[in-house]
C-alpha cells in the first residue's frame, strides 16, 4: 500500500464498535491516522442511536481517527471525505463483474446507495468525548490534553459480501440494503477494499486541511450526490419539511428549495420522496 497516514491499523475479531474504540483512544491522546477494523461488531452504531447490522466476517467495518485542523463549521466535511473516499475506492477496484462505481452515489449526508436507492454503506462521524471528560479543566469538547487538534472519529460500514442475496436480509432491511457482491455478482475482497479506501482517504483528508481542498470536497460531493435534483423530506429534531434538493453549498450543506424559500440543511435525515408519494 502506498505511504499514508493510516499505518497503525488495529484489527479485532469482535468488538462492540470501532467508533467507540477510537473515541476512547482519542480521549487518551491517540494521534491522527489510527484505524480500527473489525470482523464483527456486537453494538455497531448508526446515527441517532440506530444500529448497524453485519454478520461476522462478511463486510468492511472500519473507523479512522482524524484530527483536522479546521473550525467547527467545517468538521462535517470529515463525513464527506470518507464517503467520497469510499466511492473512489469502489471505483478503483478491479471487480469480477466490472466497475460498479458509476452506479454508486452519495445520498446526502452519509449514505452510499445503488441506483435503486438501496443502502450500500453508511458513514458515522463522532467527536463527543464528554463521557470521560472531567468538567474541571475541560476545554472545548474533543480538545485533548496534548494540544493536538480535536479528534473526529469517522466510521464506515460497507456491505461487501453480505447480503449475498435479498433473502439473507432481516425483514426490516429488505429492499433497503444492498451489497457490493450483489452489485457485481461475485464475492469481493474486503482487504483490497480496505487498502483502497485508505489510499483514497489520504488524498481526501489532505483536502480537509485547505480552503481550496474543502471547496473540492463540496464540489465532488455535488457531483457524486444523487440527492440533488430529487424531491426530499428533511427530518429535523424540531419537525420535517419537504422540498426539492437544489444543490450543495460551498460548505457542503444541502440546499433545499421549498415553496417561496430556500433552506440550507446543515445536518438532518433526508428521505428521497418519490413524486406523488
Ligand atoms: C449510518 O447510520 O448509516 C452509519 C453507519 C456506520 C457504521 C459504521 S461500521 C464501523 C463504525 N463503527 C460503528 O459502530 N459504526 C460505524 P444511519 O444513517 O443512522 O443508518 C442506520 C440505519 O441503516 C439503521 O437504522 C438501519 O435501518 C439501516 N441499516 C443497518 N444496517 C445496515 C446495513 N448493513 N446495510 C444497510 N442499511 C443498514
Amino acid at each position: 500500500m502506498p505511504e499514508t497516514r493510516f499505518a497503525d491499523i488495529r484489527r479485532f475479531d469482535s468488538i462492540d464498535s470501532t467508533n467507540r474504540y477510537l473515541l476512547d483512544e482519542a480521549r487518551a491522546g491517540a494521534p491522527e491516522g489510527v484505524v480500527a477494523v473489525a470482523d464483527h461488531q456486537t453494538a455497531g452504531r448508526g446515527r441517532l442511536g440506530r444500529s448497524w447490522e453485519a454478520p461476522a466476517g462478511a463486510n468492511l467495518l472500519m473507523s479512522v481517527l482524524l484530527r483536522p485542523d479546521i473550525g467547527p463549521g467545517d468538521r462535517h466535511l470529515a463525513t464527506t471525505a470518507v464517503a467520497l473516499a469510499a466511492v473512489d475506492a469502489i471505483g478503483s477496484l478491479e471487480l469480477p463483474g466490472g466497475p460498479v462505481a458509476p452506479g454508486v452515489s452519495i445520498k446526502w449526508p452519509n449514505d452510499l446507495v445503488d441506483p435503486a436507492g438501496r443502502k450500500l454503506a453508511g458513514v458515522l462521524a463522532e467527536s463527543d468525548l464528554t463521557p470521560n471528560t472531567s468538567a474541571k479543566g475541560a476545554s472545548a469538547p474533543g480538545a485533548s490534553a496534548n494540544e493536538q487538534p480535536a479528534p473526529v472519529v469517522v466510521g464506515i460500514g460497507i456491505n461487501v459480501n453480505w447480503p449475498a442475496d435479498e433473502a439473507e436480509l432481516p425483514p426490516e432491511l429488505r429492499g433497503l440494503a444492498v451489497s457490493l457482491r450483489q452489485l457485481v455478482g461475485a464475492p469481493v475482497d474486503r482487504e483490497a477494499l480496505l487498502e483502497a479506501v485508505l489510499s483514497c482517504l489520504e488524498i481526501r483528508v489532505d483536502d480537509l486541511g485547505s480552503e481550496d481542498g474543502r471547496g473540492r470536497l463540496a464540489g465532488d460531493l455535488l457531483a457524486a450526490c444523487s440527492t440533488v435534483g430529487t424531491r426530499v423530506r428533511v427530518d429535523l429534531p424540531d419537525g420535517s419539511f419537504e422540498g426539492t434538493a437544489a444543490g450543495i453549498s460551498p460548505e457542503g450543506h444541502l440546499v433545499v428549495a421549498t415553496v417561496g424559500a430556500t433552506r440550507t440543511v446543515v445536518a438532518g435525515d433526508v428521505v428521497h420522496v418519490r413524486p406523488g408519494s
Side-chain angles (χ1 to χ4, degrees):
M1 180 162 61
E3 281 285 294
T4 71
R5 75 197 73 200
F6 304 109
D8 183 356
I9 302 179
R10 308 195 185 162
R11 293 173 187 271
F12 300 90
D13 289 337
S14 181
I15 194 169
D16 52 347
S17 154
T18 53
N19 265 35
R20 193 280 308 154
Y21 170 79
L22 282 188
L23 282 167
D24 281 352
E25 291 299 295
R27 193 176 290 121
E32 172 163 276
V34 181
V35 180
V37 186
D39 236 29
H40 185 233
Q41 293 183 126
T42 54
R45 50 206 204 197
R47 294 176 304 152
L48 306 168
R50 295 186 287 239
S51 61
W52 187 255
E53 307 299 330
N59 290 350
L60 186 56
L61 307 166
M62 61 180 287
S63 302
V64 294
L65 170 52
L66 303 177
R67 291 185 179 272
D69 201 0
I70 53 180
D74 285 324
R75 295 177 70 79
H76 62 281
L77 286 173
T79 297
T80 303
V82 170
L84 284 170
V87 174
D88 299 341
I90 291 167
S92 77
L93 283 184
E94 287 186 17
L95 294 167
V100 291
V104 174
S105 63
I106 297 176
K107 175 174 169 286
W108 192 93
N110 75 319
D111 292 347
L112 265 59
V113 295
D114 80 344
R118 295 176 297 179
K119 187 157 165 168
L120 177 67
V123 180
L124 173 67
E126 295 183 282
S127 53
D128 187 358
L129 302 189
T130 43
N132 285 354
T133 307
S134 75
K136 207 168 120 202
S139 48
S144 66
N146 52 6
E147 311 242 325
Q148 305 180 75
V152 53
V153 169
V154 192
I156 181 166
I158 305 180
N159 297 334
V160 181
N161 290 312
W162 180 88
D165 56 46
E166 186 80 2
E168 279 192 355
L169 286 171
E172 67 276 12
L173 291 180
R174 289 200 188 134
L176 299 177
V178 72
S179 67
L180 276 177
R181 179 181 183 152
Q182 282 176 291
L183 293 179
V184 297
V188 173
D189 181 352
R190 280 191 297 165
E191 197 55 30
L193 183 58
L194 168 65
E195 283 189 15
V197 169
L198 294 178
S199 297
C200 296
L201 189 56
E202 179 67 16
I203 301 159
R204 297 295 185 178
V205 171
D206 270 347
D207 273 352
L208 273 180
S210 72
E211 207 173 319
D212 279 359
R214 291 191 289 277
R216 204 156 34 238
L217 288 171
D220 288 355
L221 174 59
L222 174 61
C225 184
S226 51
T227 305
V228 173
T230 63
R231 187 89 193 142
V232 291
R233 189 185 76 232
V234 181
D235 295 331
L236 300 170
D238 56 349
S240 302
F241 69 92
E242 272 196 32
T244 300
I248 302 280
S249 74
E251 297 79 31
H253 300 147
L254 186 69
V255 179
V256 180
T258 61
V259 181
T262 297
R263 295 180 64 166
T264 299
V265 185
V266 175
D269 263 344
V270 168
V271 180
H272 290 188
V273 185
R274 284 189 190 81
S277 68

